[in-house]
């Protein structure tokens, strides 16, 4: 196993590194920011990459925000960006459904468990859906619901797909509907299967905690996951940006999502940053899930070459 | 593998079968009733067993009802019974916590995900708890919750155990609390891990769908399950009734819970009924999860010997 190259403080190596690539795919939380705190020097580093003619694409598993909502966050945090540079798992799911998944004409509807980000991206791709943030599904289950779900009278016969993403309003009613649709043969998708979600410098239930009960209830039916490290997301990124994988580098803080995503996608390179979840010891471990090609202490270390 | 003995219609065999045992452990749903419909002849069959001096114990994984609430159901359905004959997974959990689990004196509290049945049984064993049906936990998560859960100010330092059972009011707030308690080292228990729950002649999310996300979020931490087929439940049943396992028979409709429970508990016998989930083909399959020693079409077939 090759040891990753440490770039921090080595301007010659940083220049060589940057020159190797045309496209940088960047994870957000743990790389660009932590929650609502942008890491110092990151906006300048992104500008440096752009000024050298590099394309930057923000690739995030967070499905609760649409690209438009992400753009607002970038702008609010003082990071110039464009909606076309943003690629989230909600968008990834929407284009997978609209362009790759061939649902029968009579079963085009998606039953959504998740937040508005998913709904907005499905709308942008003209995918019909039910569930999501609809107040009709944000409530306790009633005996009438149980009867109607059990006998099918409350189920929509046009639903051909269940899409499970992080839902701060998960409940028994939604899980019961999803179970029945899956038992009736609906395609099972997950925006992503992250076990946890970073908030307030701690860990909360991630999108995978929404699909986990569905997997268990159906006796092990596995969803197609549309977030990192799933290569379905890489295919979608490649399809949209027409990138040359050999000239593309994935930048992230997590070995099991970001770095794995880049390696399995046979990208030209992977860069780990130490401002998030994974640490040096993680890739030096015997059973490391993935080893990056390069690493820096923090993303802004790349910016040192602009200050020479 | 021995073929199970078919008893229906063979009165000599039925008499011999009954004489072999002093105690009959009976599953409820699929054996005694389906939902709110009692199978014909079952009350008479239970009376027959009692008249022959047999002890009957109803052993159910359903944690949403306490023994008292179960007694009401039995009475309402015209089945004479006594609270001491009822053994549910909520009660099993309560006695496991109070009598077997040695929680440190400063961490005696249980964080409950589940319905009133669990609370009532914990109260009967004087186990302190929070969560459960408390309206403070039956609502959407707020930014203040996220902050307080993340920094620990909203967590109860006396919680030393998380007990996960079927909860028709499952939500993100409860899952977030449970995750933090588990990360802080709380003991992880589940009333049972049934994948589905029978209602209205169909399948709904079972108690296992509550623990599944917690297992996934914690990176694979497994709960001690207190329902069938867990032998923790058998130990609790044995402790309470002082039964002779060799003279005890488990009666049920599911191979993977009831019959497995009896076999792994080294009971003298297991009897499958065909009024519920499992069918003859299930135990005749190459990879059968468990094979009963005896089977009948329906529980009341045993009653034929009283009508001779």
């Amino acid at each position: 196993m090759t040891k990753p190259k440490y770039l921090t403080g080595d301007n010659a190596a940083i220049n060589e590194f940057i020159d190797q690539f045309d496209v940088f795919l960047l994870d957000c939380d743990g790389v660009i920011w932590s929650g609502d705190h942008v890491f110092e020097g990151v906006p300048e580093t992104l500008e440096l990459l752009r000024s050298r003619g590099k394309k930057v694409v923000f690739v995030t598993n967070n499905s609760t925000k649409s690209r438009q909502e992400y753009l607002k966050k970038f702008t609010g945090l003082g990071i110039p960006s464009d909606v076309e540079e943003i690629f989230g798992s909600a968008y990834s799911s929407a284009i997978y459904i609209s362009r790759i998944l061939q649902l029968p004409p009579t079963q085009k509807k998606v039953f959504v468990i998740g937040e508005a980000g998913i709904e907005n991206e499905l709308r942008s791709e003209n995918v019909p859906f039910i569930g999501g943030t609809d107040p009709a599904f944000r409530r306790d289950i009633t005996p009438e619901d149980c009867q109607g779900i059990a006998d099918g009278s409350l189920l929509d016969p046009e639903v051909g797909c269940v899409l499970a993403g992080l839902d701060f309003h998960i409940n028994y009613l939604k899980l019961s509907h999803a179970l029945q649709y899956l038992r009736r043969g609906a395609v099972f998708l997950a925006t992503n299967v992250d076990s946890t979600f970073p908030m307030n410098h701690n860990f909360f239930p991630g999108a995978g905690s929404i699909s986990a009960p569905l997997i268990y209830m159906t006796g092990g039916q596995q969803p197609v996951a549309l977030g990192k490290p799933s290569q379905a997301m890489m295919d979608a990124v490649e399809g949209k940006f027409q990138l040359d994988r050999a000239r593309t580098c994935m930048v992230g803080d997590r070995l099991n999502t970001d770095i794995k995503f880049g390696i399995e996608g046979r990208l030209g390179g992977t860069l780990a940053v130490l401002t998030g979840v994974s640490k040096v010891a993680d890739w030096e471990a015997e059973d490391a899930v993935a080893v990056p090609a390069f690493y820096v202490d923090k993303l802004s270390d790349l910016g040192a070459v602009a200050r020479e």
Side-chain angles (χ1 to χ4, degrees), chain A residues 111-115 131-134 137-139 141 167-179 214:
Chain A
F111 180 73
V112 174
I113 303 187
E115 298 290 336
T133 64
D134 183 347
F137 290 91
R138 282 191 174 175
R139 57 179 180 80
I141 199 166
D167 189 343
F168 301 122
H169 305 79
I170 186 64
N171 61 34
Y172 197 80
L173 180 65
K174 294 179 191 180
L175 290 173
S176 298
H177 276 271
L179 173 59
L214 295 172

Side-chain angles (χ1 to χ4, degrees), chain A residues 25-56:
Chain A
L25 306 181
L26 297 123
D27 177 43
C28 297
D29 202 276
V31 178
I32 308 291
W33 58 60
S34 172
D36 284 330
H37 164 72
V38 180
F39 295 125
E40 205 186 320
V42 162
E44 296 78 3
T45 304
L46 295 174
E47 276 314 298
L48 164 76
L49 293 173
R50 289 180 179 122
S51 73
R52 290 220 190 169
K54 312 300 179 186
K55 178 155 195 63
V56 299

